[in-house]
Amino acid sequence: MTTLIRNGTVATARETRAADVLIEGERIVEVRAGIQAPAGATILDASGMYVMPGGIDVHTHLDMPMGEIRSSDDFETGTRAAAFGGTTCIVDYATQARGARMRDAFDAWRRMAEGKAAIDYGFHMIVTGLAGGGLADMDEIVREGVTSFKLFMAYPRSLMVDDGTIFRVMERAARNGALVCMHAENGLVIDVLVERALAEGKTAPAYHALTRPPLAEAEAVHRSVAIAEMAGAAVYIVHVSSRDALDEIRRARDRGAAVFAETCPQYLLLSVDDLERPDFEGAKYVLTPPLRPREHQAALWTGLRDGDLQVAATDHCPFRFADQKALGRGDFTKIPNGGPGIENRLQLLWHYGVNQGRLSVNRFVDLVSTAPARLFGLYPNKGEIAAGSDADVVIWDPAIEQTVGVATGHMRVDYSLYEGFQVKGAARTVLSRGEVIVNAGRFLGRAGRGRFQRRAPLGSS
Ligand code: URP
Ligand code: ZN
Ligand code: ZN
């Protein structure tokens, strides 16, 4: 199958230029102005539009088990919604059950995705302990193409690992070329604050945020960076939510430490005030780390623009309001943490970033596609518009105006974090490995066409 995208403006992380894009089968074969259409080629007219590499969301939780419940989007509904929004590849988090082998989690998450995912996908491995050959398991998992591990400094009762484990995992990651993703919050201090709040009868959703102060995040960022430096490893701080955490990241990068970081639209656009919404609606905004006072947002935008934050991901982890968030009525600690966003990332970053003059088009492409591809071993197959790259392409129409919300969205959840937000700019046509999977608001892909991506170790792209 041959496709020619004509008359568009190709935007990559480096440059913006008028050029056509020729695709044969699953790959881009040529990018230049004035390509003649080969006989029989499908022509896509991109006049007035940008032609960009498909979005890569390196922080998702599809079908994620959490106690008795699961996140409400599975690999079918979540990747379909992602495609509508212009995302053509995700890296989801598989969780090692405590005391079990990492291989079991890897196999389980592959089974969850196979036959369901509509776009390509990879996995990070959440490490919950090293008993029973965990370090050797890490090597095996890297050989399988899972080249990043996540560690939690929060949730002492379920996911947190101690500093010694962090050090060991980082040392091993430095040896086998993996990147350690860190959930940086001081879980032990937070647990004391939570216990105290509950004892004082403070049970409303807002206490989720008040018991997880920015300094708990900043302290953990500082500690994880110090441990990474002692281990000679790189560290990637996930879902940075506060100015305080970003300040730690900047200081570390300024002295040359191998520290990378992401933030997510919710921390750029929502605030702790949303947790105060009446009728328990604040529960919709219970995310971890929590939403912060508005004044943190400007610092995060600056971080994205100046490069201290390299990636914009979503942390898509949806739970229905009606029956899942509702589990925490009367006790904020029982509200499942997380919110939906996999579909909205590009349009929000575009509207509030590019349209409002905070980000250039090229910086936008870097944040949502190229930088995540490079950091997580997908580049240059993904994250690039160039001969030889996968034809994961978004034809982006800067003129489309949309109202974000449940009525216009495709995520399997009964609320939107951004209900009523008016945005301009959206994916008109989305190609995944050369196949048009979304066009003019219609889904043309199919469940199960997405492929597992064996990712390369750090430093290979
Ligand atoms: O609230 C969130 N972010 N839930 C997902 C788990 C995590 O920490 O990323
Ligand atoms: Zn996390
Ligand atoms: Zn997460």
Side-chain angles (χ1 to χ4, degrees), residues 59 150 152 183 238-239 288 315:
H59 194 153
K150 183 177 181 185
F152 280 83
H183 178 124
V238 298
H239 48 43
T288 305
D315 197 5

Side-chain angles (χ1 to χ4, degrees), residues 211-228:
T211 54
R212 309 183 87 91
L215 274 180
E217 187 182 18
E219 183 280 327
V221 169
H222 182 89
R223 183 161 33 108
S224 66
V225 168
I227 298 172

Side-chain angles (χ1 to χ4, degrees), residues 214-247:
L215 274 180
E217 187 182 18
E219 183 280 327
V221 169
H222 182 89
R223 183 161 33 108
S224 66
V225 168
I227 298 172
E229 287 183 276
M230 287 188 273
V235 64
Y236 174 89
I237 311 293
V238 298
H239 48 43
V240 174
S241 69
S242 66
R243 185 177 48 205
D244 311 64
L246 179 59
D247 286 346

Side-chain angles (χ1 to χ4, degrees), residues 20 29 32 34 40 84 93 101-102 119 134 136 150 169 171 182 198 204 235 242 252 259 280 283 354 420 423 425:
D20 302 335
V29 292
R32 69 172 168 82
F84 272 108
Y93 281 98
R101 307 303 297 259
M102 293 179 207
I119 57 173
K150 183 177 181 185
V169 168
E171 277 190 326
M182 189 61 74
L198 290 178
V235 64
S242 66
V259 179
F280 194 61
V354 178
V423 295

